Amino acid sequence: MPVLRLLPLAALLLGGTACAQGTATSTPAPGAEAGHPNVFVSPSEIEAIRAARGQYALLDATIEADVALMEEAFSAPIETPPPGEAGGYAHERHKQNYREMKAAGLLYQITGERRYADFVRDMLLQYAEMYPALGPHPLSERQVPGKLFHQLLNENVWLVHTIIGYDNVYDALTAEERATIEAGVFRPMLEWFTGEGAFSLDRVHNHGTWAAAAVGMAGYVLGDPDLVEQALYGTDKSGEAGFLRQLDELFSPDGYYMEGPYYARYAIWPFFYFAEAIERNEPGRQIYAYRDGILEKALYATVQTAWPDGTFPALNDGSLYMTVAAPGVVLGTDVVFDRYGGDPTLLGVARFQGGVVLNGSGLAVARAFDAAETIPEMTWESVEFRDGADGEGGGLGILRAGAGEGQTVALLKYGVHGLGHGHFDKLGLILWDQGRDVLDDYGFARFVNVEPKYGGRYLPENDTWAKQTIAHNTVVVDGRSQNDGDRRAADAMHGDRHFFDGDGSDGVQAVSAFARGYYPGVDMQRTVLLVEDEAFDHPILIDLFRLDADAEHQYDYPLHYDGVPITASFDLTGHADALRPLGDDAGYQHVWETGRASVEGDVQFTWLDGHRYYSVTASGSTTGTTAGNAPTEVLLGRTGANDPQFNLTSEPLVVLRRRAADHLFASVIEPHGYYSGATESSVQARPRVAAVRVLGSDDRASVVEIEDHDGARWHVLVNNGAPSDGPHTATVGGQAVTWTGNAAVRPVR
Amino acid sequence: MPVLRLLPLAALLLGGTACAQGTATSTPAPGAEAGHPNVFVSPSEIEAIRAARGQYALLDATIEADVALMEEAFSAPIETPPPGEAGGYAHERHKQNYREMKAAGLLYQITGERRYADFVRDMLLQYAEMYPALGPHPLSERQVPGKLFHQLLNENVWLVHTIIGYDNVYDALTAEERATIEAGVFRPMLEWFTGEGAFSLDRVHNHGTWAAAAVGMAGYVLGDPDLVEQALYGTDKSGEAGFLRQLDELFSPDGYYMEGPYYARYAIWPFFYFAEAIERNEPGRQIYAYRDGILEKALYATVQTAWPDGTFPALNDGSLYMTVAAPGVVLGTDVVFDRYGGDPTLLGVARFQGGVVLNGSGLAVARAFDAAETIPEMTWESVEFRDGADGEGGGLGILRAGAGEGQTVALLKYGVHGLGHGHFDKLGLILWDQGRDVLDDYGFARFVNVEPKYGGRYLPENDTWAKQTIAHNTVVVDGRSQNDGDRRAADAMHGDRHFFDGDGSDGVQAVSAFARGYYPGVDMQRTVLLVEDEAFDHPILIDLFRLDADAEHQYDYPLHYDGVPITASFDLTGHADALRPLGDDAGYQHVWETGRASVEGDVQFTWLDGHRYYSVTASGSTTGTTAGNAPTEVLLGRTGANDPQFNLTSEPLVVLRRRAADHLFASVIEPHGYYSGATESSVQARPRVAAVRVLGSDDRASVVEIEDHDGARWHVLVNNGAPSDGPHTATVGGQAVTWTGNAAVRPVR
């Protein structure tokens, strides 16, 4: 465990030992007056990196990658084209330029080769000719414009990296060159950021953090404390905005970033950049101890949400493909390893990343990686993160069984909405198994940087499909999205934690949460259990989704599976000669209805995904609720309707529809058997679970019985009342059943 | 290169040195009288394997896998259940039993452990109690029934493996045990195979080869030359049927197996099993020299059709997932390596296979693998295989550019129909790039061994979709399949080779073939060029599909792509609120029409698949043909219509439709750029090719011009007349153009 967590808060506030093992202490950082470089790496760290070359694989990999990047850059003339559209040539060129200037600056320091410094100088002089004449970018849409880029964000990012490059070649330039560059580029850019762009800088939002980092880091490099003050406290220096306020509000006390891990991996990038600059120039600010070490928690809350293969869950407007190798996570991993005590599990993350940052923290990771006898698997335990700045905004629960890439993971989302990138998916579930998302979240509808796809921006279907409730594995009431798709309403509320038990020593882990008020008159509770039982080859997921309402509603329980339908308990008959959309709005207009059945009793549906079969067995009878034994309508669908530009990928789903006031969707999702196309082997293509029965469910408890095809039975016992270890008692069939813990699964004799 | 190919035929016929390096010569094989084991491995080979244990990774891997298999087998009682349905428990149990008996027999020999022999004995004694009372399997469908299995084929396979197990424990059994087993199992089974099952044994078909191998190998083990004669020459011993006739007719002179590589990997298995038995018992038959070394050619024609990742093209009723690690290919690879001169490229195949067979040939491979300084990549050159028993039945052309898994491969199919597993897909094209099939063949509609999917048998959609012409990348005339889907008619004809140039030293490789008479009154020629040109980052494919008819027809040119549509030269507008099938029959009933456009001029369509973009640019103007400049109708589709059981996977396609008598579809398929979701980078999402123009096309030549977005132009020059190196001349715009070779691509000044 990292050291910081074990220290009493008082010690931190008194300027304790938080950074005892860090670079900043072992190699005293220069103050603002101490010369250059001073924001990302110090002269003594450069010395150490020079001495370490050829010794540590991760360090060498990064240096070689940067050298290769620069060889490519040297092979063509420097270009600073007039601003262009997002994803277009000019846009990409300016992005590549900042990457090259940062790399060139660091390589100048590490190698001493003058050509790297000249490169940064020449490029900045070229920018200095163009920049002063630029106006606001004409292609800005609903965003604060930059001048080089259509949105200010890109320009902030440009400056953060460019200022590192400049810092590193500062001493290699003449005073005149510096004056020309600062007057032609940095000063007018900073005026824009703190003037017209103040809205962005003063936002408590990840765009605001990039702005703060750009302004603050430039302030340190240019020796302008006023810029640093604006960055830390907002343009009015009141503290109502700025970096510290962002640290206070953008993360929950557990370090969870409200927009979700895809944004966290990007959001933490400027946080760590600016934090490093602060620590190096004003160590007295104790930035790494700030808010009980929130930066460390932010890094952990980011990497610990990742699936076992290193990709992030596609929560909110998230991508399916982003990984912990994202550069902001590399920076965060190295800094946290170096400044918070050297947690060896982070070396497992570093292995996945395959490189380090080029400063003392990166060197520390590369050295420890090389010295370690074994590098641990990137295996995280079950974990819950509270959401909301005060930790009272619900949370995210992640249950994990198994180790490494073989883990089975169930994720339940019950936090805050997450601002503009939030999805209307409270109590959404994702199931990860066999190295893939078996019940998946669509993530965003966007092809980032793919110019022909709407300039790489969010596609219209992001609003009309990806954000809608039906696009997620959570119940849709009356065919409407939560909060009726109103973001302001959603931002004003949050899910509520009920209990989280990730211990699993008895084979049962569980998480339970409420979502109240997301639909008028309907309260929802979802309890997800991840159960390891010797009767089953793989962990099974038990899902109890409880709806509590005064009036009757239509409840749709969707499962976004992947793969091929194999068999079902009902007449699995697809529509043959015409497809129509499943509905008119709230995302339903994007689903082709491919089949429909009315099922008496349990619903069982089996599909093949990769090397395993998966079956959902859902209760037909619902004793104790108003749904009674009415048939379940089963809808099969596939995305792609009302998608004229083919912006959506084609994905199947199955929806169980019931009408009721109170209802409990009780289902088991069971991975089973084995299939291989290469060896043409198939084992146990049919599920073990034979029936799921709701024996009773109300606001005190839910009791569900599971029976397998050999007649073995289990009771699932969940406390719906105030959380406690119990004992809890429910009456089932006239008999009292008692259990301890908020949730239990036990065999029936 | 293998030795045999370099030997003059006369030397082989005179009983020459074909097997000089093989096990059978270096370790003289026992005759039929020489005791046991005698069909798969000899006592001296067993001695060598015993001595080699612990030294060679591939050998040890196989032995350890068999030991593990048997440990699992020992952990449960022996079961010989009453026969059941395909894919069901009994079916799978009997399959597992033969695997275990073969492994146990070999392990008895290798380890000397008595328990392995007892296992084979006890299981066979159990079978001997059950088998005599069995009648024909009741669940047989349109097949010769077995008794243990629903089809005789499975029972033949059972005997081939079981007899190896029995051969290896023969000397460990008492005479009484042997008598009981032979009278209870082998004799009645062989009576069934040569009596009721004679139809299968006498078929020149891969089922016949399994029957021949079973009967012949049993003949050697039981010391019954009459069985061997029936196996070699047919039940009437006339030579009209039997193993030698199968060797004569089932492979082309190049060793290509008419049903395609998926069946080849299974068909060669009994060929090599029985050949080994013959060579060991009757070396005078010179089986490995038979028909100019046809067995060697058959192995090469199998492994050389594989894609760079080791999977086989899904030609005909083929799977998308079968690989060169299939056990029949492992056997063939080891035997060919050992008996034909030790081609080191086969060691690359062995690496992929990860194991060897447990006889002298497997030992030879394991030893060579261990001794080799480097194992070559499994990289094959461009190659053409003639099809048909006489080599006059068209063929299969495979163009390859690049090395290893990075190869780009274009495959054109112009051979015979391939009997009952054949598809109506003459001139079908498959493109492989970046480790995946970019323009793919659906293969079969079947989930082998998946019991809930129609017992694992061919699904109805195999006939109605997978076999139909529209399911393939080849032109469909008037919405009908080739030969109107009549298999007998298709079997009576074949494609015609035109030319094949796989040299590629000038960056241009090409294959051209005709399909005449597949549609009444319409002759077809397809010329595919794989071109490496420095203007393009990856090899591009130029496709000239020429149609020659007296009357006007509807021509559909389908491309079965994969991935997401990115952009198009036309209004890419998908149907929003209703989907209908593309047609009523010939496979069109299985395609949902997802979009339709009428395009004047060139058609350009770009999609994203994996890390690359792909664009097809197809000529709109067709000078010199009757299509003129009428618009092209573009149809977008997705499989899944009229598929009530969801037996088809959901795959997109695009179809270009023209009406004409004579017509040339001239198109360029261009991989371009780079995309990564993990790094969110996108490069060159738009194609380099800007236009494709048909300057002229008739039965003498086709001349096509390609222009890129920088205005650079190339001429594509193809000789459609009698193949020759030329020079060839065509008149284009009143000017004579002359080129050498059957196909050329050259820049236009």
Side-chain angles (χ1 to χ4, degrees), chain A residues 262 321-322 449-451 453 565 572-574 576-581 592 613 638 642 644-645 650 678 680 682 686, chain B residues 262 321-322 449-451 453 565 572-574 576-581 592 613 638 642 644 650 677-678 680 682 686:
Chain A
Y262 173 77
Y321 306 109
M322 187 54 62
N449 289 323
V450 179
E451 174 271 318
K453 278 291 190 192
L572 182 73
T573 304
D577 59 359
L579 295 188
R580 295 281 181 188
W592 295 116
Y613 299 95
R638 179 172 284 279
N642 285 289
Q645 303 301 304
S650 176
E680 298 189 339
S682 170
R686 294 185 188 272
Chain B
Y262 173 77
Y321 306 108
M322 186 54 62
N449 289 322
V450 178
E451 173 272 318
K453 278 290 188 192
L572 183 72
T573 304
D577 59 358
L579 295 188
R580 295 282 181 186
W592 296 116
Y613 299 95
R638 180 172 282 280
N642 285 289
S650 176
E680 298 189 338
S682 171
R686 295 187 188 269

Side-chain angles (χ1 to χ4, degrees), chain A residues 135 200 371 481 528 574 636 644:
Chain A
S200 187
S481 283
V528 171
L636 296 165

Side-chain angles (χ1 to χ4, degrees), chain B residues 308 377-382 399-409 432-433 504 509 530-532 538-539:
Chain B
E377 276 196 287
M378 197 170 59
T379 292
W380 306 112
E381 303 292 315
S382 297
L399 304 178
R400 298 171 179 270
E405 297 214 16
Q407 269 193 340
T408 302
V409 188
W432 176 275
D433 190 44
Q509 301 181 79
L530 190 62
V531 179
E532 295 168 278
H538 310 290

Side-chain angles (χ1 to χ4, degrees), chain B residues 38-216:
Chain B
N38 71 355
V39 284
F40 181 69
V41 66
S42 69
S44 59
E45 291 166 53
I46 290 290
E47 278 307 309
I49 290 171
R50 284 188 187 199
R53 279 192 76 174
Q55 295 180 55
Y56 308 125
L58 293 179
L59 181 73
D60 290 340
T62 305
I63 294 174
E64 280 160 28
D66 276 1
V67 167
L69 177 79
M70 289 311 302
E71 287 308 311
E72 180 84 16
F74 287 136
S75 72
I78 287 174
E79 279 190 277
T80 55
E85 65 187 337
Y89 178 73
H91 179 95
E92 291 303 316
R93 185 68 254 166
H94 291 301
K95 284 167 68 174
Q96 190 64 10
N97 284 352
Y98 77 63
R99 291 187 198 109
E100 290 169 3
M101 284 191 281
K102 169 170 169 267
L106 289 164
L107 288 177
Y108 169 66
Q109 289 287 344
I110 293 168
T111 67
E113 291 179 36
R114 177 76 211 178
R115 60 180 185 145
Y116 291 118
D118 292 348
F119 179 88
V120 179
R121 178 196 62 201
D122 294 347
M123 186 175 275
L124 283 174
L125 287 171
Q126 211 163 300
Y127 272 111
E129 283 184 32
M130 174 174 71
Y131 197 84
L134 295 179
H137 195 288
L139 296 176
S140 164
E141 283 194 19
R142 300 183 300 172
Q143 290 149 329
V144 181
K147 290 179 168 182
L148 293 174
F149 296 95
H150 71 291
Q151 66 174 347
L152 193 65
L153 170 65
N154 296 93
E155 203 140 317
N156 298 149
V157 176
W158 185 94
L159 182 55
V160 165
H161 291 89
T162 300
I163 207 73
I164 293 173
Y166 182 68
D167 184 33
N168 277 290
V169 304
Y170 191 94
D171 291 337
L173 307 189
T174 65
E176 191 185 351
E177 286 164 350
R178 290 199 295 259
T180 304
I181 289 167
E182 292 183 14
V185 185
F186 296 137
R187 285 299 173 179
M189 189 177 277
L190 287 160
E191 272 169 41
W192 183 252
F193 288 1
T194 55
E196 297 284 326
F199 167 78
S200 185
L201 176 55
D202 289 342
R203 256 180 112 185
V204 182
H205 182 280
N206 87 70
H207 289 199
T209 311
W210 280 105
V215 171

Side-chain angles (χ1 to χ4, degrees), chain A residues 159-324:
Chain A
L159 182 55
V160 165
H161 292 90
T162 300
I163 206 72
I164 293 173
Y166 181 69
D167 183 32
N168 277 290
V169 304
Y170 193 94
D171 290 339
L173 307 190
T174 66
E176 191 185 350
E177 285 162 351
R178 290 197 296 258
T180 304
I181 289 166
E182 293 183 14
V185 185
F186 296 136
R187 285 297 171 184
M189 190 177 276
L190 288 160
E191 271 169 43
W192 184 254
F193 289 179
T194 55
E196 296 286 325
F199 168 79
S200 187
L201 176 56
D202 288 341
R203 256 179 111 186
V204 181
H205 182 281
N206 85 72
H207 290 200
T209 311
W210 279 105
V215 170
M217 290 166 74
Y220 286 127
V221 173
L222 304 183
D224 184 340
D226 183 71
L227 289 172
V228 176
E229 290 292 296
Q230 290 190 60
L232 287 169
Y233 300 111
T235 52
D236 68 358
K237 302 178 191 166
S238 69
E240 293 294 303
F243 190 69
L244 297 177
R245 185 72 187 276
Q246 290 159 357
L247 279 172
D248 287 337
E249 296 200 1
L250 288 178
F251 301 102
S252 83
D254 293 336
Y256 186 71
Y257 183 72
M258 62 159 62
E259 291 185 306
Y262 173 77
Y263 289 92
R265 62 86 204 171
Y266 194 70
I268 64 173
W269 202 5
F271 273 110
F272 280 100
Y273 267 139
F274 193 22
E276 276 297 295
I278 295 166
E279 183 71 10
R280 288 159 186 278
N281 288 279
E282 301 185 73
R285 288 192 182 273
Q286 292 272 343
I287 196 69
Y288 287 112
Y290 190 81
R291 202 184 165 202
D292 199 16
I294 192 66
L295 282 164
E296 180 195 29
K297 292 173 181 169
L299 184 274
Y300 276 98
T302 304
V303 295
Q304 286 187 324
T305 54
W307 301 124
D309 73 346
T311 57
F312 290 115
L315 302 176
N316 293 332
D317 282 345
S319 154
L320 293 169
Y321 306 109
M322 187 54 62
T323 76
V324 297

Side-chain angles (χ1 to χ4, degrees), chain A residues 398-454:
Chain A
I398 305 179
L399 304 177
R400 298 173 179 267
E405 297 215 16
Q407 267 193 344
T408 302
V409 188
L411 181 154
L412 187 65
K413 185 168 180 266
Y414 45 94
V416 304
H417 183 68
L419 307 175
H421 292 306
H423 286 194
F424 299 93
D425 63 350
K426 214 57 59 196
L427 304 188
L429 170 72
I430 309 180
L431 175 62
W432 176 274
D433 190 44
Q434 335 161 54
R436 59 183 72 203
D437 41 0
V438 166
L439 296 178
D440 56 0
D441 191 301
Y442 190 88
F444 59 35
R446 180 182 186 186
F447 294 86
V448 182
N449 289 323
V450 179
E451 174 271 318
K453 278 291 190 192
Y454 199 47

Side-chain angles (χ1 to χ4, degrees), chain B residues 215-555:
Chain B
V215 171
M217 290 167 74
Y220 287 126
V221 173
L222 305 182
D224 185 339
D226 184 71
L227 289 173
V228 176
E229 290 292 295
Q230 291 190 61
L232 287 169
Y233 300 110
T235 52
D236 68 359
K237 302 176 192 166
S238 68
E240 293 294 303
F243 188 68
L244 298 177
R245 185 70 187 275
Q246 289 159 357
L247 279 171
D248 288 337
E249 297 199 2
L250 288 179
F251 300 103
S252 83
D254 294 337
Y256 187 70
Y257 182 73
M258 61 158 63
E259 292 185 305
Y262 173 77
Y263 288 92
R265 63 83 204 172
Y266 194 69
I268 64 172
W269 202 4
F271 273 110
F272 280 100
Y273 268 139
F274 193 21
E276 276 296 294
I278 295 167
E279 183 71 10
R280 288 158 186 277
N281 289 278
E282 301 184 72
R285 288 193 182 272
Q286 293 273 343
I287 196 68
Y288 287 113
Y290 189 81
R291 202 185 164 200
D292 199 15
I294 192 67
L295 283 164
E296 181 196 29
K297 292 173 181 169
L299 184 275
Y300 277 99
T302 304
V303 294
Q304 287 188 322
T305 53
W307 301 125
D309 72 344
T311 58
F312 290 116
L315 301 176
N316 293 332
D317 282 345
S319 154
L320 293 168
Y321 306 108
M322 186 54 62
T323 76
V324 298
V329 186
V330 176
L331 173 61
T333 300
D334 292 354
V335 169
V336 167
F337 181 87
D338 186 36
R339 296 201 180 271
Y340 292 92
D343 173 10
T345 306
L346 293 178
L347 299 178
V349 181
R351 175 171 52 197
F352 184 91
Q353 294 168 340
V356 292
V357 293
L358 294 179
N359 68 8
S361 294
L363 177 58
V365 168
R367 188 182 282 138
F369 189 89
D370 193 70
E373 284 200 14
T374 58
I375 304 297
E377 276 196 287
M378 197 170 59
T379 292
W380 306 112
E381 303 292 315
S382 297
V383 64
E384 182 186 37
F385 298 107
R386 290 171 294 161
D387 203 354
D390 57 1
E392 299 297 321
L396 186 80
I398 305 178
L399 304 178
R400 298 171 179 270
E405 297 214 16
Q407 269 193 340
T408 302
V409 188
L411 181 154
L412 187 65
K413 185 168 179 269
Y414 45 94
V416 304
H417 184 68
L419 307 176
H421 292 306
H423 286 193
F424 299 95
D425 63 350
K426 213 57 58 194
L427 304 188
L429 169 73
I430 310 180
L431 175 63
W432 176 275
D433 190 44
Q434 345 158 48
R436 59 182 70 202
D437 41 0
V438 166
L439 296 178
D440 56 0
D441 191 300
Y442 190 88
F444 59 34
R446 181 182 184 186
F447 295 86
V448 182
N449 289 322
V450 178
E451 173 272 318
K453 278 290 188 192
Y454 198 49
R457 298 191 292 275
Y458 291 100
L459 296 159
E461 292 75 16
N462 193 60
D463 286 335
T464 58
W465 168 251
K467 286 188 172 179
Q468 303 297 323
T469 305
I470 187 63
H472 302 84
N473 300 303
T474 187
V475 166
V476 185
V477 177
D478 296 330
R480 312 294 307 167
S481 283
Q482 294 171 3
N483 305 107
D484 231 357
D486 178 346
R487 197 259 269 189
R488 303 287 160 194
D491 270 334
M493 54 208 300
H494 55 75
D496 294 308
R497 304 167 57 225
H498 185 42
F499 60 79
F500 180 87
D501 175 4
D503 174 37
S505 55
D506 59 350
V508 179
Q509 301 181 79
V511 55
S512 185
F514 290 94
R516 301 184 179 97
Y518 283 83
Y519 288 104
V522 182
D523 284 348
M524 308 187 286
Q525 180 195 2
R526 189 171 207 166
T527 306
V528 171
L529 301 94
L530 190 62
V531 179
E532 295 168 278
D533 187 295
E534 60 183 16
F536 298 92
D537 291 337
H538 310 290
I540 63 169
L541 188 147
I542 301 171
D543 182 22
L544 307 187
F545 202 119
R546 192 165 75 83
L547 296 129
D548 184 0
D550 292 334
E552 191 174 275
H553 295 273
Q554 171 185 291
Y555 297 131

